[in-house]
Amino acid sequence: MSAIKFCLAQLNFKIGDFEGNTAKIADTIFNAKQKGADLVIFSEMSVCGYMPDDLLDYPWFVEKCEQSLEAVAQSCQGIAAIVGGVMRNPNKGRSLQNVVCFMQNGRIQQITAKTLLPTYDVFNESRYFEPASATELINFKGVQIGVAICEDIWDIYNDFEYPKSPGTILKDLGADIIINPSASPFHLGKQSLRNRVFSGQASRFDLPVIYANQVGIHTELIFDGASRAINSNGEVALQLPEFKEAVHYIDFENNKFVSSNTVPVEPDEIETLHAALIFGIQDYFNKMGFKKAVLGSSGGIDSAVVQALLTEALGAENVLAVLMPSQFSSDGSVNDAKQLSINLENTFEILPISSIFNQFEDTLKPVFNGREFNLAEENIQARSRGVLLMAISNKLGNILINTSNKSEMSVGYSTLYGDMCGSLSVLGDVYKGQVYALARYINRHKEIIPQEIIEKAPSAELRPGQKDSDSLPDYGVLDEILRLYIEGRKSKDEITMEGYESQVVERIVNMVNANEYKRYQAPPIIRVSSKAFGKGRIMPLVAKYQ
Amino acid sequence: MSAIKFCLAQLNFKIGDFEGNTAKIADTIFNAKQKGADLVIFSEMSVCGYMPDDLLDYPWFVEKCEQSLEAVAQSCQGIAAIVGGVMRNPNKGRSLQNVVCFMQNGRIQQITAKTLLPTYDVFNESRYFEPASATELINFKGVQIGVAICEDIWDIYNDFEYPKSPGTILKDLGADIIINPSASPFHLGKQSLRNRVFSGQASRFDLPVIYANQVGIHTELIFDGASRAINSNGEVALQLPEFKEAVHYIDFENNKFVSSNTVPVEPDEIETLHAALIFGIQDYFNKMGFKKAVLGSSGGIDSAVVQALLTEALGAENVLAVLMPSQFSSDGSVNDAKQLSINLENTFEILPISSIFNQFEDTLKPVFNGREFNLAEENIQARSRGVLLMAISNKLGNILINTSNKSEMSVGYSTLYGDMCGSLSVLGDVYKGQVYALARYINRHKEIIPQEIIEKAPSAELRPGQKDSDSLPDYGVLDEILRLYIEGRKSKDEITMEGYESQVVERIVNMVNANEYKRYQAPPIIRVSSKAFGKGRIMPLVAKYQ
């Protein structure tokens, strides 16, 4: 009977790097041929990387994409490949299609376009693509292969049900297997969601499924790989790792995968979060060509966790910590911050900001005119630190990394152009409670983050004796209200009905709404939840909210 | 024969202000009834305002929208109305539809959903809505009315041709007239584009058309109104004004409008730009509940033009100019800036930044360690000014307005967290050449902007003797290359073929690409071109460009 040796290529592509991406694909095809594979499967939009966004509006970009697909096809001699890309739409409608090419004998044999175009949260595909108008199978070595691109296999796993089910169409056409080249971004819980979706769909269609995801970070999005092959009973026959490139082989005989490895258990949430952030930092620095980072080290929990993550991701010698105490900083904070840098073996600098702060106050005297200390003075401190950090970044070339967490970003407990500065936000999608859990995880083998940092009450230290809890509820309560409002899309009334004080809910939700303007100017945030701030959450600024 | 007195209501709605919007609509219906109108036509999504973006993901928001439509319908006694809103989709697919309700006898009689969902540039409708699945006409007083919502009448006026033509479908069903409730944003040249589209489509379908647009600013977007009624020969029978609310009446007899006013000539481009920016500033301040503005006044052309625009929009007493000379500022600049504030009758403050700059240098000594003056020091100056302006904004409540122009924003000739600070960018979509034209226009009756400001060579004055032309080509050339790349989507080669030096093109395009990261954190920009930075131009940050 029919037998195919599949090669599942889970690779890291760079958006727009046609040369690099094409070389990587051709290389993989060459190696797979050496190993006797019949068909190599790459991820969605592999020649151009996912997602080039409005680069797709530039005709030269699309031409290069088409040329790259042609070039890759030439390397398919004695072996076949399924390669994703973008092509011009030959018919009426949007000018492009998101396609997968079946390549054999040195040329593109068949083109399958994507049917379901995700256009929600971080996805924007209807902005560029016309959906497929027809579907056909690929006959390869006697096996009828159906191609469903990414979202095409998620037809019933969304907030809404698509009018079309590409899987059902493929099944009805007589497919023996569904191949699903994807660009599926990570968020916490995505792995168990995928377990449900792929095993569920394999069973529903009674067909084996190969899911081939890309890996790598593209601005806010982490693509985590975790590609797999699933038999028609829903059992996982092959599971690729998360957060790294991997090329695996699996034999397909009599419409069944010959299992090649066992399925890893779902890892701990905080372990996964930690791995995702480390990978996110590393791949961002790699792809941008950056090497060294700088951050403000306040002695608080957020900067401590970011500093530890940067150190693990980039190496101790590539992280510069800057301590910028003011007259309101406690000695404890400075000592804790020092101890952290010592523990992590990072270079650190201490640049007190009192003289700068006093100079600003002096200069502003004619305007401030004796008005009392308030938010303005708090922000001057945070912004003076921003100026120092950016100056160091400009002078030494270290990239400034932001340390705000999601709880703060939500309620605007952060200073625009101050502690909101940075090229990349590491914790902007991590709630305060998760930040503590990360700290404990980082300390799992030995005390890296001084225990004092974990134990003391959070404070911005921008005025005497300030504590976060002066103006915010405990982080346990705050995080839960935020989750219900941001991820859960609940109304104030619904949140109150879950058992929270209505005045507190009212205040927190209003703070979230009132601070859209700050988040509009925030750095890109590594996305680790199903609803992160950034491109996946578009809110009007000029509006009247609930 | 059949006769209808139409009322065309071009109103300013606030996103999410259901109470205010509903009251305004009901009021207009009441007045129209007094005046003997038969049918009042409102713009697209009038009860909720266009565009609520991800507020649409919140079920409470959609419920309020539906309730508001029901409430408005109750006021339609002895008069009919066509009112736009959002409703839940009763079928499979996206959970919402963009609808227009025909209301009569106190209730919603017919619902028409939008067929073509614009999803390009600043439009995002496929993110939320399922397109119409069927079309039917409204029989009103013996006239067969076809409703085509906004984009529905633009089927062939795009970069691509939609597979469906709602106008053709309405014509084939036997429509006597097409009513087109819209939310159509302004850009320079849009008015003449609309002339082509509406007259073209009226002639193509041989049907009269009523185009009812909203007016008002929603964050980046200006909706300019300019609603109209067009006879089937393409002649404009009624033209409403730009940039203001207006309610006009027109009689429709024997399938023809009885002309009620003549068509204004296309105004001068700079006059229109000026009017758009003034309106944009005013409506932003109105809707946000802001009154006073603050800006940095450098003695350069950009801040001078912004200061003059703010003064015209908000009143001289509501604009505070802050002059922040450094050791590199020329006396001329300070005097020019003073004279400008005197001419405009604005309060101004002079806050020299030399001591702050020196204090930063002092504090940074251990890190900078004798390294020579470079970009880092230039940016410290720009950022010190940002801190001062934000401090004044925080202390006095004046809103900081950004003064960067589009040419600078394009090539990154601006300091992130420095002169890129602000709540709103007035000139971020205005090229340098247009800034000069605006200055001349502002001075058309008398010298408001001192002639020296218009005549001197542009300089950031961040180091001795610095001129923009040291590192940039003349603005005439720069603007043209930028237009070809940004608005024209041309490749480097194509731009060079238009007659520009290839090295210059290479450098400029690379500067645009390399500075995406700055624009990612830029303030919202009032959009006046067909391709503005902001939500209408989404570019990846982690990518390899051409």
Side-chain angles (χ1 to χ4, degrees):
Chain A
M1 262 294 292
S2 60
I4 300 178
K5 191 183 191 71
F6 284 111
C7 171
L8 224 167
Q10 171 177 302
L11 300 178
N12 191 345
F13 299 110
K14 187 163 176 179
I15 292 167
D17 183 10
F18 294 103
E19 213 175 312
N21 298 341
T22 305
K24 196 177 255 194
I25 294 168
D27 224 46
T28 306
I29 292 172
F30 180 84
N31 289 333
K33 192 175 158 185
Q34 305 300 103
K35 300 222 170 152
D38 299 300
L39 180 62
V40 195
I41 302 165
F42 296 91
S43 57
E44 182 181 11
M45 289 172 62
S46 27
V47 292
C48 53
Y50 187 98
M51 171 30 130
D53 293 326
D54 286 1
L55 285 172
L56 293 172
D57 285 345
Y58 283 86
W60 63 263
F61 189 90
V62 177
E63 279 161 32
K64 281 200 184 174
C65 194
E66 291 179 343
Q67 287 158 7
S68 301
L69 287 166
E70 294 289 349
V72 167
Q74 288 172 20
S75 63
C76 293
Q77 299 283 3
I79 186 167
I82 279 179
V83 182
V86 168
M87 285 182 150
R88 277 169 285 194
N89 169 23
N91 304 308
K92 261 192 204 176
R94 304 309 300 243
S95 50
L96 304 177
Q97 292 194 301
N98 178 345
V99 301
V100 148
C101 297
F102 171 65
M103 303 169 173
Q104 203 179 17
N105 302 324
R107 51 182 291 270
I108 297 171
Q109 303 288 346
Q110 265 175 273
I111 297 166
T112 308
K114 191 169 182 173
T115 302
L116 307 183
L117 301 172
T119 305
Y120 53 80
D121 195 60
V122 298
F123 302 108
N124 225 346
E125 292 193 28
S126 301
R127 186 174 171 91
Y128 311 101
F129 303 127
E130 186 67 20
S133 49
T135 311
E136 52 179 29
L137 301 177
I138 297 163
N139 186 332
F140 181 69
K141 297 187 77 182
V143 174
Q144 297 293 327
I145 295 176
V147 172
I149 305 177
C150 203
E151 189 83 351
D152 284 345
I153 209 159
W154 291 72
D155 56 321
I156 54 169
Y157 290 89
N158 222 313
D159 285 351
F160 58 92
E161 186 178 344
Y162 283 104
K164 274 191 182 183
S165 167
T168 306
I169 295 170
L170 293 172
K171 175 72 180 178
D172 292 347
L173 285 173
D176 297 316
I177 181 173
I178 295 178
I179 288 180
N180 179 238
S182 291
S184 171
F186 166 81
H187 63 71
L188 288 172
K190 187 74 172 265
Q191 194 62 351
S192 45
L193 176 58
R194 287 194 195 120
N195 290 346
R196 282 210 307 286
V197 172
F198 289 110
S199 296
Q201 295 288 57
S203 308
R204 174 180 169 212
F205 302 127
D206 191 22
L207 287 178
V209 174
I210 291 181
Y211 154 63
N213 195 16
Q214 70 174 9
V215 71
I217 187 174
H218 288 156
T219 314
E220 293 111 325
L221 298 186
I222 298 174
F223 294 90
D224 56 340
S227 304
R228 57 178 77 179
I230 305 104
N231 270 316
S232 61
N233 60 359
E235 270 176 19
V236 178
L238 173 69
Q239 169 77 52
L240 270 62
E242 286 175 287
F243 309 123
K244 59 176 153 200
E245 291 195 318
V247 177
H248 284 224
Y249 296 85
I250 190 161
D251 290 308
F252 184 72
E253 287 168 16
N254 301 318
N255 289 347
K256 198 169 179 325
F257 294 114
V258 182
S259 281
S260 78
N261 72 357
T262 53
V263 186
V265 289
E266 177 90 350
D268 175 66
E269 178 170 293
I270 293 301
E271 191 183 328
T272 304
L273 176 58
H274 181 262
L277 294 174
I278 293 288
F279 175 66
I281 294 165
Q282 279 174 338
D283 204 39
Y284 175 80
F285 273 74
N286 273 341
K287 283 189 173 140
M288 298 296 282
F290 298 151
K291 198 168 167 229
K292 288 170 179 288
V294 60
L295 83 166
S297 175
S298 69
I301 185 85
D302 302 311
S303 56
V305 166
V306 172
Q307 193 173 335
L309 293 171
L310 287 172
T311 301
E312 187 170 341
L314 307 174
E317 70 285 9
N318 291 319
V319 180
L320 172 61
V322 186
L323 286 63
M324 295 166 289
S326 76
Q327 44 264 67
F328 309 111
S329 302
S330 61
D331 290 347
S333 295
V334 179
N335 290 333
D336 294 343
K338 270 196 226 173
Q339 190 57 51
L340 174 70
S341 283
I342 291 166
N343 293 354
L344 289 168
E345 299 179 28
N346 297 144
T347 306
F348 67 94
E349 297 282 352
I350 305 182
L351 307 180
I353 61 161
S354 313
S355 323
I356 293 168
F357 175 75
N358 292 338
Q359 189 58 59
F360 270 118
E361 284 281 279
D362 230 49
T363 301
L364 283 161
K365 243 180 214 146
V367 183
F368 279 15
N369 214 355
R371 285 178 177 84
E372 68 179 22
F373 186 105
N374 69 356
L375 182 74
E377 279 78 9
E378 297 188 21
N379 283 341
I380 289 172
Q381 297 166 63
R383 293 193 179 114
S384 296
R385 294 188 175 114
V387 176
L388 287 171
L389 290 167
M390 287 301 296
I392 292 170
S393 176
N394 287 159
K395 191 65 97 186
L396 306 184
N398 295 44
I399 300 303
L400 178 58
I401 298 301
N402 174 280
T403 59
S404 303
N405 67 56
K406 189 173 189 176
S407 309
E408 289 172 357
M409 295 273 288
S410 299
V411 294
Y413 203 71
S414 50
T415 301
L416 189 56
Y417 320 131
D419 52 308
M420 284 184 70
C421 291
S423 282
L424 181 72
S425 166
V426 172
L427 298 181
D429 198 28
V430 179
Y431 286 112
K432 190 83 175 185
Q434 293 172 304
V435 176
Y436 281 106
L438 278 171
R440 288 187 294 269
Y441 181 81
I442 288 163
N443 279 1
R444 65 198 180 283
H445 301 309
K446 61 171 183 180
E447 185 173 299
I448 291 172
I449 297 175
Q451 198 57 27
E452 290 70 24
I453 292 181
I454 301 178
E455 280 170 9
K456 70 182 161 196
S459 167
E461 297 195 332
L462 294 170
R463 60 171 178 266
Q466 187 179 27
K467 295 266 176 303
D468 288 15
S469 54
D470 299 344
S471 47
L472 294 175
D474 280 351
Y475 278 106
V477 171
L478 177 64
D479 289 357
E480 221 26 70
I481 293 174
L482 293 172
R483 268 204 192 87
L484 289 166
Y485 185 60
I486 296 164
E487 278 89 342
R489 300 173 188 181
K490 304 276 188 207
S491 68
K492 289 175 187 170
D493 289 349
E494 288 167 322
I495 299 171
T496 304
M497 270 154 44
E498 303 242 349
Y500 296 95
E501 233 181 291
S502 79
Q503 278 184 321
V504 174
V505 172
E506 177 81 20
R507 203 160 60 82
I508 298 302
V509 170
N510 288 350
M511 285 170 91
V512 175
N513 295 346
N515 284 288
E516 285 306 335
Y517 79 100
K518 286 191 190 174
R519 291 188 291 271
Y520 189 100
Q521 298 184 45
I525 294 168
I526 300 181
R527 176 181 182 268
V528 294
S529 80
S530 60
K531 186 54 81 179
F533 296 125
K535 68 190 280 189
R537 188 171 185 273
I538 306 169
M539 295 296 251
L541 297 185
V542 179
K544 187 174 171 184
Y545 278 43
Q546 64 167 154
Chain B
M1 265 291 292
S2 61
I4 299 178
K5 190 182 190 73
F6 284 111
C7 171
L8 223 168
Q10 170 177 303
L11 300 177
N12 191 345
F13 299 110
K14 187 165 177 177
I15 292 166
D17 183 10
F18 294 103
E19 214 175 311
N21 298 340
T22 305
K24 197 177 254 193
I25 293 168
D27 224 48
T28 306
I29 292 171
F30 180 84
N31 290 332
K33 191 174 158 185
Q34 305 300 104
K35 299 219 171 156
D38 299 300
L39 179 63
V40 196
I41 302 165
F42 296 91
S43 57
E44 182 181 12
M45 288 171 63
S46 28
V47 292
C48 53
Y50 186 97
M51 174 25 132
D53 294 325
D54 286 1
L55 285 172
L56 292 171
D57 285 344
Y58 284 86
W60 64 262
F61 189 91
V62 176
E63 278 161 33
K64 279 201 185 175
C65 194
E66 291 179 343
Q67 287 159 6
S68 302
L69 287 167
E70 294 289 349
V72 167
Q74 287 172 21
S75 64
C76 293
Q77 298 283 3
I79 187 166
I82 280 179
V83 182
V86 168
M87 284 182 151
R88 277 168 284 194
N89 170 23
N91 305 307
K92 261 192 203 176
R94 304 309 300 244
S95 50
L96 304 176
Q97 292 194 299
N98 178 345
V99 301
V100 148
C101 296
F102 170 65
M103 302 169 173
Q104 205 179 16
N105 301 325
R107 51 181 291 272
I108 297 171
Q109 303 288 346
Q110 266 176 272
I111 298 167
T112 308
K114 191 169 182 175
T115 303
L116 307 183
L117 301 172
T119 305
Y120 53 80
D121 195 61
V122 298
F123 300 108
N124 225 348
E125 292 194 28
S126 301
R127 185 174 171 92
Y128 311 101
F129 303 127
E130 185 67 22
S133 48
T135 310
E136 54 179 29
L137 300 177
I138 297 163
N139 186 332
F140 182 70
K141 297 187 78 182
V143 174
Q144 297 293 325
I145 295 176
V147 172
I149 305 176
C150 202
E151 189 83 350
D152 284 345
I153 209 158
W154 291 72
D155 55 321
I156 54 170
Y157 291 89
N158 223 312
D159 285 351
F160 58 93
E161 186 178 343
Y162 283 104
K164 272 192 182 182
S165 166
T168 307
I169 295 169
L170 293 172
K171 176 72 180 179
D172 293 347
L173 285 172
D176 297 316
I177 182 172
I178 294 178
I179 289 180
N180 179 237
S182 291
S184 170
F186 166 81
H187 63 73
L188 287 172
K190 186 75 171 265
Q191 194 62 351
S192 44
L193 176 58
R194 288 192 194 121
N195 291 344
R196 282 211 307 286
V197 172
F198 290 109
S199 296
Q201 295 287 57
S203 308
R204 174 180 169 213
F205 302 126
D206 191 22
L207 288 178
V209 174
I210 291 181
Y211 154 65
N213 195 16
Q214 71 174 9
V215 70
I217 186 174
H218 289 156
T219 313
E220 295 111 324
L221 298 185
I222 297 173
F223 294 90
D224 56 339
S227 304
R228 56 177 78 178
I230 306 105
N231 271 314
S232 60
N233 59 1
E235 270 176 19
V236 178
L238 173 68
Q239 168 77 52
L240 270 62
E242 285 175 289
F243 310 123
K244 59 177 153 198
E245 292 195 316
V247 177
H248 284 224
Y249 296 86
I250 189 162
D251 290 307
F252 183 72
E253 288 168 14
N254 302 317
N255 290 347
K256 199 170 178 326
F257 295 114
V258 182
S259 282
S260 79
N261 73 357
T262 52
V263 186
V265 289
E266 177 90 349
D268 174 68
E269 178 170 293
I270 292 301
E271 192 183 328
T272 304
L273 176 58
H274 181 261
L277 294 174
I278 294 288
F279 176 66
I281 295 165
Q282 280 174 338
D283 204 38
Y284 175 80
F285 272 74
N286 273 340
K287 283 189 173 139
M288 298 296 282
F290 299 150
K291 198 170 167 228
K292 289 172 179 286
V294 60
L295 83 167
S297 175
S298 70
I301 186 83
D302 301 311
S303 56
V305 166
V306 173
Q307 193 173 335
L309 293 171
L310 287 172
T311 301
E312 187 169 341
L314 306 175
E317 70 284 9
N318 291 318
V319 179
L320 171 62
V322 186
L323 286 63
M324 294 166 290
S326 76
Q327 44 264 66
F328 307 111
S329 303
S330 62
D331 291 346
S333 294
V334 179
N335 290 333
D336 293 344
K338 270 196 226 173
Q339 190 57 51
L340 173 70
S341 283
I342 293 165
N343 292 355
L344 288 167
E345 299 179 28
N346 297 143
T347 307
F348 67 94
E349 296 282 352
I350 305 182
L351 307 180
I353 62 161
S354 313
S355 324
I356 293 168
F357 175 75
N358 292 338
Q359 188 57 60
F360 271 118
E361 285 281 279
D362 231 49
T363 301
L364 284 161
K365 242 178 215 145
V367 182
F368 279 15
N369 215 355
R371 285 179 176 82
E372 67 179 22
F373 186 105
N374 69 355
L375 182 73
E377 280 78 9
E378 297 188 21
N379 284 341
I380 289 172
Q381 297 166 64
R383 293 193 178 113
S384 296
R385 293 186 176 116
V387 176
L388 287 171
L389 290 168
M390 287 302 295
I392 293 170
S393 176
N394 287 159
K395 191 64 100 186
L396 306 183
N398 294 43
I399 299 303
L400 177 59
I401 298 301
N402 175 279
T403 60
S404 304
N405 67 56
K406 189 173 188 175
S407 308
E408 289 171 357
M409 294 274 288
S410 299
V411 295
Y413 202 71
S414 50
T415 301
L416 189 57
Y417 320 131
D419 52 307
M420 285 183 69
C421 291
S423 282
L424 182 71
S425 165
V426 171
L427 298 181
D429 198 29
V430 179
Y431 286 112
K432 190 80 175 187
Q434 293 171 305
V435 176
Y436 281 106
L438 278 172
R440 288 187 296 268
Y441 181 81
I442 289 164
N443 280 0
R444 65 198 180 283
H445 302 309
K446 61 171 182 182
E447 185 173 299
I448 290 171
I449 297 175
Q451 199 56 28
E452 290 70 24
I453 291 181
I454 300 179
E455 280 169 9
K456 69 183 161 195
S459 167
E461 297 195 334
L462 294 170
R463 61 172 178 264
Q466 185 179 28
K467 295 265 176 302
D468 289 14
S469 55
D470 299 345
S471 47
L472 294 174
D474 280 351
Y475 279 106
V477 171
L478 176 64
D479 288 359
E480 221 26 69
I481 293 173
L482 293 173
R483 269 203 191 88
L484 289 166
Y485 185 60
I486 296 164
E487 278 90 340
R489 300 172 187 180
K490 304 276 188 207
S491 68
K492 289 176 187 169
D493 288 348
E494 289 166 321
I495 300 171
T496 304
M497 269 155 42
E498 303 241 352
Y500 297 94
E501 233 180 290
S502 78
Q503 278 183 321
V504 174
V505 172
E506 176 83 20
R507 204 159 59 82
I508 298 301
V509 169
N510 288 349
M511 285 171 91
V512 176
N513 295 345
N515 284 287
E516 286 304 336
Y517 80 99
K518 285 191 191 176
R519 291 188 292 270
Y520 189 99
Q521 298 185 46
I525 293 167
I526 299 180
R527 176 181 181 268
V528 296
S529 81
S530 61
K531 187 54 81 179
F533 297 125
K535 68 190 279 189
R537 188 171 184 273
I538 305 168
M539 295 297 250
L541 296 185
V542 179
K544 187 173 171 184
Y545 278 45
Q546 65 168 153

